[in-house]
Amino acid sequence: MDKFDVLVIGSGSAACAAALRAAKGGLKVLVIEKSDWLGGTSAMSGAGVWIPANHVAAAEGVADSREEAMAYLRAVGPDGWAEKEDALWRNFVDTAPRMLRFLSDNTPLDFRVVNEPDPYVEAPGGKLRGRMVSPMPLSRRILGRFGARLRRSTMPHSFTYQEATDHDLYHKPISAGLKLWPKLLWRWLTNSGGQGTALMAGLIKGCLDAGVTFWLEARAVKLIQEPDTRVVGAEVERQGQRLKIVAGRGVVIATGGFEWDAEMLARHFPGPLDRIGSPRSNEGDGQKLAASVGAQLDRMDQANIYPCLPTRYQGKPHGLPIIFQAEAHSIVVNRHARRFVSENEFNIGEAMDARDADGSPTHLPCYLVGDSRFLKTSLPFRWYASYERGWVKKSDTVAGLAAQLGLPAAALEETISRWNAFCAKGRDEDFRRGDSGWEEYKAHGPENRLKPIDRAPYIGMTLNRSILGTKGGARTNERAQVLRPDGSIIPGLYAAGLAMANPFGTRAVGAGTTLGPNMTWGFVAAETILHQNR
């Protein structure tokens, strides 16, 4: 029997933020990771971190406030969510700036402001700049023996988030490489990376320096409770043995989503699914553990849904998150061959995942359709499309393409004709593609907004949901304490990140809406343990 003060299950950003804060508070902390790779989904990410009123932006003279952030969240959040989530939103807004400063002071992480607006910048409290931050590159070597076990990504982490955006890496990979080659060479020589590599290298290094213990290939299979139902540890399978880990001050569940559990995924996300872009170890362990001790599971139909290109990861088919659906000379249509959203819409994943009253998908299956010029816009697209032979369909006529995709030909011809008319007018009268501040920023210039589809061969492909992480799990209060269905607290049990009923669901309020809140709730869980669980 091993004894610690705090057991953290999972090793991503939420887990490490919790472990670091608890360890810096003087507690003995164990982090267990069931796979043989540290860092979870966070290590694979682009490491955009959405934190309102943060100190990094303030140092650059960017004005922001908690009041503006709350106004923004309340304005853009899903209808009806404020009633249940407002207290969690408030605590996030109050705590997130302090969490970011804590990480800056206690890890090697060097956060910089990303020149990216809030996606709904026109809403009350929206900001053109300042709430998105991302780390500068760090070497994996700072992790010592764990450096080789930091999870790799399908994304090009030789670049920082800002570099990938500024140099339009998706459209101009060769040009970007040539412009940045001295930096890229140095990072290769020093085994350094930006984005999720830097984020998790910095967090794990901070944890190691604070005395946190990490176990790889250690899977929690059962929570241990005292007679009064307090959770005091877990049974863990490691190296062929079943061990009891006592954690007298608390257990933090931060295991990620459940998207690789086929039964859970089918139950909560019925309908077509293109790809998954997270580690295969995200099998819902945390959700199952929480449910086993009576926790309420909530928001199970929410996820980080984002277009993904096909790729391979660790030898198996995988999804690579990239905005490829907003290219010139292309549109997105539903199963009725009708447009239903702006292709530049930040939350296009939410639109694709719309449900009818009975829970069945409203629009799926969805498709991207375009003309011959679409394929000429991006070398990476053609490269990644080759991983899934037969995905891209071609035809010399719109009717022929409709037949290949299984769409009604007359409806598709009418939709494309309507789109072409908008292009001639210079305005999308249905969904205002390119009109918002976010869409203007992402369009890389007004000339890329509205382009007709009128040059054969015509192309088409599925564009269904791809999931980077589900966002449902144990319902918590604003202090990250896990709750039962009656609202009572399960003492000693906490949840954070994608293993909790995430107060920021499928509708993201910024490109870093996953990582910013995830780390904040890990931090909150540790603060609750330190201050309330004596």
Side-chain angles (χ1 to χ4, degrees), residues 379-446:
L379 179 64
F381 177 86
R382 296 197 296 275
W383 173 267
Y384 287 109
S386 68
Y387 282 105
E388 197 168 302
R389 296 187 183 278
W391 177 49
V392 179
K393 313 292 186 184
K394 296 182 183 180
S395 177
D396 289 334
T397 65
V398 172
L401 180 65
Q404 290 192 56
L405 298 177
L407 290 170
L412 184 59
E413 289 174 337
E414 181 183 338
T415 296
I416 290 177
S417 178
R418 183 175 178 83
W419 169 252
N420 290 345
F422 291 158
C423 293
K425 294 178 182 178
R427 180 172 176 79
D428 174 8
E429 296 178 358
D430 285 341
F431 300 103
R432 301 181 62 192
R433 176 171 170 178
D435 285 1
S436 71
W438 171 263
E439 295 195 16
E440 183 175 359
Y441 170 78
K442 282 296 184 183
H444 296 289

Side-chain angles (χ1 to χ4, degrees), residues 74-83 89 299 350 507:
R74 288 167 176 163
V76 305
D79 291 343
W81 276 47
E83 181 178 352
W89 291 346
R299 304 299 189 199
E350 180 188 30
R507 183 179 302 176

Side-chain angles (χ1 to χ4, degrees), residues 97-349:
R98 186 161 53 88
M99 178 278 301
L100 193 71
R101 183 175 287 280
F102 172 81
L103 296 186
S104 296
D105 292 343
N106 292 281
T107 74
L109 288 166
D110 178 14
F111 290 102
R112 304 289 179 88
V113 171
V114 175
N115 296 321
E116 191 163 279
D118 286 338
Y120 305 107
V121 64
E122 295 85 1
K127 292 291 178 180
L128 281 169
R129 183 175 180 271
R131 290 174 175 165
M132 267 286 293
V133 298
S134 193
M136 296 300 288
L138 286 173
S139 173
R140 297 173 183 86
R141 294 174 185 167
I142 65 174
L143 301 182
R145 66 186 179 90
F146 287 117
R149 306 317 304 168
L150 182 61
R151 183 175 287 281
R152 298 282 178 152
S153 179
T154 55
M155 302 173 70
H157 281 186
S158 297
F159 296 82
T160 67
Y161 187 109
Q162 189 71 67
E163 289 168 350
T165 301
D166 286 350
H167 295 278
D168 195 6
L169 187 59
Y170 177 64
H171 295 101
K172 304 171 183 176
I174 296 174
S175 171
L178 290 174
K179 289 177 180 177
L180 296 172
W181 75 263
K183 290 182 178 180
L184 300 178
L185 176 60
W186 177 251
R187 291 168 192 169
W188 178 75
L189 291 172
T190 57
N191 196 17
S192 299
Q195 303 182 63
T197 294
L199 179 68
M200 292 314 305
L203 283 172
I204 294 168
K205 173 62 173 173
C207 287
L208 292 171
D209 289 346
V212 174
T213 300
F214 285 87
W215 285 0
L216 288 169
E217 298 181 88
R219 183 174 193 170
V221 294
K222 182 180 179 181
L223 295 175
I224 300 172
Q225 290 180 285
E226 290 184 334
D228 66 353
T229 75
R230 169 175 289 275
V231 174
V232 293
E235 294 184 15
V236 175
E237 291 180 349
R238 185 186 186 221
Q239 298 176 345
Q241 295 181 307
R242 189 155 173 150
L243 310 173
K244 286 188 176 181
I245 307 299
V246 173
R249 297 288 290 275
V251 174
V252 180
I253 295 175
T255 51
F258 58 81
E259 58 274 9
W260 285 102
D261 183 293
E263 186 277 328
M264 293 178 73
L265 187 67
R267 187 189 337 152
H268 298 292
F269 293 87
L273 175 80
D274 276 357
R275 297 167 195 97
I276 298 175
S278 65
R280 279 174 165 75
S281 51
N282 287 12
E283 298 173 305
D285 288 25
Q287 290 81 355
K288 297 168 189 174
L289 287 169
S292 73
V293 293
Q296 177 189 3
L297 299 187
D298 201 6
R299 304 299 189 199
M300 296 292 282
D301 60 349
Q302 302 294 299
N304 186 358
I305 299 174
Y306 203 81
C308 282
L309 290 175
T311 188
R312 294 188 72 81
Y313 182 65
Q314 297 179 338
K316 297 179 180 180
H318 210 76
L320 173 67
I322 284 182
I323 300 175
F324 67 92
Q325 81 288 348
E327 295 297 290
H329 306 288
S330 69
I331 56 175
V332 174
V333 300
N334 61 17
R335 67 174 182 263
H336 306 296
R338 304 296 185 187
R339 290 179 72 220
F340 58 96
V341 66
S342 166
E343 291 76 9
N344 279 101
E345 164 62 38
F346 179 71
N347 276 304
I348 191 170

Side-chain angles (χ1 to χ4, degrees), residues 485-497:
D486 64 3
S488 62
I489 293 168
I490 299 177
L493 188 61
Y494 307 81

